[in-house]
Amino acid sequence: MILSFSACGLQTDSEAVLFDDVPYGLAQTSTSTTSVPDANSEPNIPTTTIAVNQRAVEVVFVRRLSRELESISIDLPTPVSNRDVIDQLTQPPRDAEPELQTEVSERLVLNVQVDRGLATVNLSRTAINQLGSAQQRRAIAQIVLTLTLFTSEEGGIGQVEFLVGGQPISVYVPLLNANNEPGEPVAWADFAQLLVGVDAPPTTTTTTEPPSTNTTAPATPPSSTSSTTIPATTGTSTTTTSTTTPSS
């Protein structure tokens, strides 16, 4: 029905008039098209680069052929914790894997606690028992050398002691060529001779001198550039000279 408008109001025609042509395209169907990006296409979306602060950390691994120990530098995101360093020991970097390996498994170190420069490393009894004697020695050396080369937010680590299941144990010390006492801390110098490029500490030589007591100075810490051992001498010696004058 078509309504006609007049100034006086609305008026209804007596008969409906049908239009063959509906004006203004009202009979047409409206279709809207939405562009959907192709899943395989690469939209031009700007990328955001986030700068991550990194820190170089020295981590000690085992040479595959010679079984010597080697320290390599690895960049880790800061802050770096003691646990982060231990976790790096469990897997050499991919570019170094053909030449380097590790004796430190993921389950070997249960936890590490540091107090005033002393790191207490608690080992898994099951994991350590799965290693042979030589493997155990290399694993202990890797841990000691890596931790003592690392400085955390709490400060540097000077010594390391080992527990198994919470109980103190003794470990083989290359510098002594023997095991230490259970729970006795060890240091970088005790294992340094196992590292590639680090000479074994020189032996102390003695000469024929008036009686004296010789002691060997401690090995040079890793930050020093020289490794000369100078015997320390304690005590004093007195030499008496007598002259005999012939009588006339």
Side-chain angles (χ1 to χ4, degrees):
M1 178 180 292
I2 304 300
L3 304 180
S4 62
F5 299 87
S6 66
C8 297
L10 297 177
Q11 181 178 355
T12 304
D13 293 339
S14 59
E15 295 182 0
V17 179
L18 299 179
F19 293 93
D20 293 334
D21 296 328
V22 180
Y24 308 111
L26 296 178
Q28 296 179 1
T29 303
S30 175
T31 304
S32 62
T33 304
T34 304
S35 299
V36 179
D38 186 359
N40 296 324
S41 64
E42 295 182 0
N44 187 17
I45 300 176
T47 58
T48 302
T49 303
I50 301 176
V52 178
N53 293 328
Q54 292 186 325
R55 172 186 172 187
V57 176
E58 294 295 318
V59 185
V60 177
F61 294 102
V62 182
R63 281 190 172 182
R64 188 176 299 275
L65 298 179
S66 66
R67 319 308 295 166
E68 296 174 291
L69 301 187
E70 181 176 350
S71 174
I72 65 173
S73 180
I74 299 178
D75 291 331
L76 298 178
T78 57
V80 183
S81 67
N82 302 316
R83 187 71 225 188
D84 293 334
V85 176
I86 291 295
D87 290 341
Q88 287 300 309
L89 278 172
T90 63
Q91 182 66 49
R94 289 186 176 181
D95 57 349
E97 276 185 313
E99 293 80 21
L100 300 178
Q101 64 180 37
T102 183
E103 303 291 6
V104 181
S105 66
E106 294 181 358
R107 297 170 298 175
L108 180 60
V109 179
L110 298 179
N111 54 69
V112 180
Q113 295 181 348
V114 179
D115 182 23
R116 290 177 293 184
L118 174 63
T120 301
V121 180
N122 191 21
L123 304 177
S124 164
R125 186 179 303 276
T126 301
I128 196 70
N129 288 339
Q130 291 175 347
L131 300 175
S133 177
Q135 292 175 309
Q136 289 181 7
R137 293 181 180 185
R138 287 192 292 267
I140 293 296
Q142 283 185 256
I143 295 171
V144 172
L145 292 171
T146 299
L147 286 179
T148 53
L149 287 172
F150 173 65
T151 301
S152 66
E153 294 181 349
E154 292 80 17
I157 297 174
Q159 293 181 311
V160 182
E161 64 178 0
F162 288 91
L163 312 175
V164 169
Q167 299 299 318
I169 63 169
S170 63
V171 298
Y172 178 78
V173 181
L175 184 65
L176 303 177
N177 195 26
N179 281 26
N180 65 351
E181 294 296 326
E184 182 181 359
V186 290
W188 181 89
D190 294 323
F191 296 84
Q193 66 192 72
L194 302 180
L195 282 170
V196 174
V198 177
D199 296 331
T203 56
T204 304
T205 58
T206 57
T207 57
T208 305
E209 294 285 345
S212 61
T213 302
N214 293 330
T215 60
T216 304
T220 307
S223 59
S224 302
T225 56
S226 62
S227 58
T228 306
T229 302
I230 303 176
T233 304
T234 59
T236 57
S237 59
T238 305
T239 303
T240 304
T241 304
S242 59
T243 304
T244 303
T245 304
S247 56
S248 55

